[in-house]
Amino acid sequence: MKALMFYGPHDVQYTDVETPEPEAGEVLIKVKAVSICGSDLSGYKGESSMRVPPLIMGHEFSGEIVKSGDGVKDLKIGERVIVETNLFCGECADCRAGFSNVCDNRKIIGTTMKAGSYNGAMADYVVAPAEKIMSLPDNVSFNAAALTEPLAISLRATKHAGDVSGKTVAVYGAGPIGLLVIQCVKFFGAGRIIAIDIVEDRLEMAKKCGATDVINSNDDVIGITRKMTDGVGVDVVFDAAGVPATVNGGAEIVRNGGKVVWIGLAAPKIEFDYKHAVCKEITFHCSYMYTTEMREGLEIIKTGKMNVEQIITGIYHMSEGARIFEELASRKSKDIKVILYND
């Protein structure tokens, strides 16, 4: 089969590799759509320990079952599916406590974890455990389905914020996760949604996703949000960037006693005005990956009340993947969310 093989920093090649065979309890999936995640780009640039070459990346995908291993009974050949790509152990203390998203024994399709690497979906075919398969409703496209995984991340973050109905919410970072957070808080009834980003094209997309207001990061974000809220500050801040300016900015624009949800992972270490945050009695909540939210997200997409597909700005054949990776990494591309497809 053909695959986009990651060989090292800035080295992804569309090449021939052996087609995997499903073992007992597994299925072989013909990939129909796979999205490039920001974490894939970090790996491509050599900035992530979770992408160790040689590796086929790709953990946000959809496809059709073409072959089943022994013991697989409830899934049919030709069935349209997505996969819960977090392959947690289910037995450790974290899993038993409901935190399968941070299981130390897990593998994640398309990544390298402590438990090892698992080739992903930037290929003609990918193997996955049958127990992780979710069937697609007929009204959900392959492209929309591929975004169920990032939606799950945004949905979990939104749940951490609690009831947002009628509240003023700010979202730092109008990349894919931030845009899906905007859609989530709109779905759950936020009264005012403020998107903050440095890229105007992304702010325009934020409006399409439900933002009532947008602010360029180069402007006086603190002053503008204070004016919007009669000097009080916003009720909830989601940080989908994770850089010093947004982490500290979130603590500034949130109201006394407000909530800040951290999602972005751009900077591993940040100097933070801790005393200021303590004196405002801010509640901080970290949000990582998902647990039950992929199934919940798919149900929301099925209702048609959330249009995740609108954040897709580029659709390219898998053979163009190497070029697309480099253009995204070098910021020559204006694409926000890219889908790769096979014939």
Side-chain angles (χ1 to χ4, degrees):
M1 70 174 185
K2 288 287 189 180
L4 276 179
M5 182 65 74
F6 170 57
Y7 288 107
H10 295 269
D11 186 6
V12 167
Q13 300 176 30
Y14 187 62
T15 188
D16 291 302
V17 299
E18 186 176 349
T19 303
E21 284 292 323
E23 298 182 358
E26 295 180 336
V27 296
L28 181 67
I29 298 168
K30 181 175 178 58
V31 178
K32 291 293 187 176
V34 57
S35 174
I36 297 178
C37 175
S39 63
D40 294 323
L41 282 177
S42 294
Y44 175 76
K45 292 185 286 186
E47 300 172 352
S48 173
S49 62
M50 294 173 64
R51 304 293 191 282
V52 176
L55 178 72
I56 301 171
M57 295 189 282
H59 59 278
E60 304 173 359
F61 66 94
S62 60
E64 291 180 348
I65 296 175
V66 294
K67 192 173 184 179
S68 297
D70 292 341
V72 178
K73 298 178 181 179
D74 298 327
L75 298 170
K76 299 177 181 178
I77 303 302
E79 193 164 348
R80 303 167 70 250
V81 298
I82 56 173
V83 181
E84 182 183 354
T85 51
N86 182 30
L87 311 182
F88 55 88
C89 74
E91 300 175 356
C92 68
D94 287 328
C95 285
R96 293 198 305 271
F99 293 102
S100 57
N101 53 323
V102 293
C103 168
D104 270 346
N105 304 316
R106 73 192 187 280
K107 289 186 177 182
I108 299 175
I109 295 175
T111 74
T112 305
M113 306 298 291
K114 290 180 181 179
S117 292
Y118 194 119
N119 279 330
M122 291 185 185
D124 289 335
Y125 301 95
V126 62
V127 163
E131 64 181 3
K132 297 293 184 178
I133 298 296
M134 286 180 267
S135 298
L136 290 181
D138 291 339
N139 68 327
V140 177
S141 71
F142 284 119
N143 287 351
L147 300 190
T148 308
E149 199 271 355
L151 173 61
I153 292 170
S154 299
L155 180 58
R156 180 172 180 81
T158 303
K159 289 162 66 176
H160 283 319
D163 183 11
V164 297
S165 179
K167 294 183 178 179
T168 298
V169 174
V171 180
Y172 272 105
I177 296 300
L179 292 170
L180 292 172
V181 167
I182 289 169
Q183 292 202 34
C184 285
V185 295
K186 179 185 177 183
F187 180 81
F188 288 110
R192 191 169 197 174
I193 306 169
I194 306 165
I196 307 166
D197 200 285
I198 200 168
V199 181
E200 288 295 332
D201 288 349
R202 297 192 172 210
L203 292 175
E204 286 301 314
M205 180 63 76
K207 292 179 185 177
K208 295 178 182 178
C209 289
T212 56
D213 304 271
V214 297
I215 305 173
N216 191 293
S217 302
N218 289 322
D219 294 334
D220 180 12
V221 176
I222 297 172
I224 295 170
T225 54
R226 289 293 180 191
K227 187 175 181 180
M228 286 177 173
T229 58
D230 296 324
V232 175
V234 304
D235 299 306
V236 182
V237 175
F238 292 90
D239 187 343
V243 297
T246 61
V247 171
N248 284 285
E252 287 289 345
I253 69 173
V254 75
R255 67 182 299 158
N256 292 340
K259 295 180 180 179
V260 175
V261 182
W262 287 334
I263 320 164
L265 298 169
K269 294 183 180 180
I270 290 175
E271 185 173 332
F272 179 64
D273 193 346
Y274 170 78
K275 182 178 179 180
H276 181 59
V278 170
C279 292
K280 290 183 70 173
E281 286 207 355
I282 301 169
T283 298
F284 292 94
H285 207 125
C286 301
S287 189
Y288 181 65
M289 289 190 63
Y290 55 86
T291 53
T292 61
E293 289 79 15
M294 271 198 75
R295 292 188 183 278
E296 295 164 15
L298 182 59
E299 286 299 310
I300 293 173
I301 294 172
K302 184 175 72 172
T303 67
K305 294 179 180 179
M306 191 179 293
N307 180 11
V308 297
E309 208 165 352
Q310 67 183 325
I311 74 169
I312 299 170
T313 54
I315 301 173
Y316 306 96
H317 191 270
M318 197 78 69
S319 61
E320 297 185 75
R323 175 179 66 83
I324 300 303
F325 261 99
E326 185 55 32
E327 289 182 358
L328 290 170
S330 63
R331 299 189 177 181
K332 293 179 180 178
S333 171
K334 291 186 177 182
D335 276 321
I336 297 172
K337 195 60 170 172
V338 164
I339 292 287
L340 302 176
Y341 69 92
N342 292 306
D343 293 329

